[in-house]
Amino acid sequence: MSIQFFAFDTPNGRKISVALEEMGLPYDVHVVDITQNQQFDPAFLAISPNNKIPAIVDPDGPGGQPISVFESGAILLYLAEKTGQFMPADPAGRVAVHEWLMFQMGGFGPMPGQVHHFIALQDETERRYGLQRFMAETRRLYGVMDRRLAACTYFAGDSLSVADFAILGWAWRHPRHQVDLADFPHVQRWYQALMARPGVARGFAVALK
Ligand SMILES: N[C@@H](CCC(=O)N[C@@H](CS)C(=O)NCC(=O)O)C(=O)O
């Protein structure tokens, strides 16, 4: 039975469309238009209590019972566990996936997200303060990623993992947070390699609005 996938065309939504395509899982898309406040519909809140996309419902969850999952990091870990894909078998590799997934969820998402917010403000004083603070932090995070990818092919080491899908969702928006990937050559190499994958291309082509 198909996974029911609730999302909109945003970095957090794209992480999951990319993962579902790369894993070859059957799924149905339900667009939740967050510009129309559909994330507050009671039926959606029942599966995503924090009123944010993405969320999934898997009719074939643990023990064959349906399960809903919210929070994109939790969804990626759930899908990796369900399929046995994009999660290394060795314990040290799994620790690396968890590290870089948490790095994304706690930093490389919230920080560029603030750039996206402040860049749209009209008030110049508020805009300047927010951009100064959050663009600097976003660039610092790109520096952290660049150093990691100078040493490893992928974030968790030699093999592609769900941590890469999580980070890719936000790196995809680099023009919007005004980062030139040429300034971070290892991130650029990684980004181009991932975007050239057919599964990733399909994930970004899924209609989410
Ligand atoms: N930590 C959450 C963040 C999800 C999130 O911020 N989703 C945004 C779109 S990218 C959203 O649904 N916003 C609607 C709202 O805040 O009301 C995750 O990674 O799933």
Side-chain angles (χ1 to χ4, degrees):
M1 276 190 288
S2 297
I3 288 175
Q4 304 302 302
F5 170 43
F6 298 80
F8 196 58
D9 186 23
T10 71
N12 292 315
R14 289 295 168 194
K15 295 174 194 177
I16 308 304
S17 59
V18 164
L20 288 166
E21 286 293 336
E22 282 280 345
M23 292 172 181
L25 286 166
Y27 65 96
D28 302 317
V29 175
H30 302 266
V31 173
V32 179
D33 188 342
I34 62 173
T35 70
Q36 301 298 316
N37 285 335
Q38 289 178 355
Q39 70 274 31
F40 297 105
D41 286 354
F44 183 65
L45 289 176
I47 58 168
S48 187
N50 195 30
N51 62 264
K52 294 185 192 297
I53 64 91
I56 62 166
V57 176
D58 182 0
D60 292 319
Q65 296 301 307
I67 191 169
S68 62
V69 190
F70 75 102
E71 282 290 332
S72 58
I75 297 169
L76 289 171
L77 291 173
Y78 174 78
L79 296 176
E81 196 166 323
K82 177 183 174 76
T83 63
Q85 295 183 68
F86 302 109
M87 179 63 78
D90 65 300
R94 297 167 82 85
V95 169
V97 173
H98 292 161
E99 286 176 327
W100 288 97
L101 183 58
M102 300 308 151
F103 163 89
Q104 185 283 306
M105 294 295 291
F108 187 64
M111 294 302 116
Q114 293 296 329
V115 176
H116 299 177
H117 169 78
F118 280 98
I119 222 161
L121 294 187
Q122 298 302 316
D123 182 286
E124 191 46 38
T125 310
E126 287 181 357
R127 191 171 185 274
R128 193 180 315 116
Y129 173 76
L131 288 183
Q132 205 173 13
R133 178 175 169 81
F134 294 112
M135 274 182 165
E137 177 61 3
T138 295
R139 288 190 71 82
R140 189 190 69 78
L141 293 168
Y142 272 92
V144 172
M145 295 190 291
D146 207 53
R147 287 192 294 282
R148 175 64 175 176
L149 292 172
C152 302
T153 307
Y154 301 107
F155 280 95
D158 292 338
S159 53
L160 185 62
S161 77
V162 289
D164 295 285
F165 302 151
I167 293 172
L168 183 66
W170 282 92
W172 168 60
R173 283 295 205 229
H174 66 275
R176 187 163 174 206
H177 45 260
Q178 298 187 354
V179 166
D180 184 352
L181 291 189
D183 295 344
F184 302 96
H186 302 288
V187 175
Q188 187 174 50
R189 179 266 306 156
W190 165 90
Y191 182 79
Q192 289 171 349
L194 260 71
M195 289 308 245
R197 292 175 64 89
V200 170
R202 287 196 305 278
F204 279 106
V206 174
L208 291 183
K209 64 182 176 190

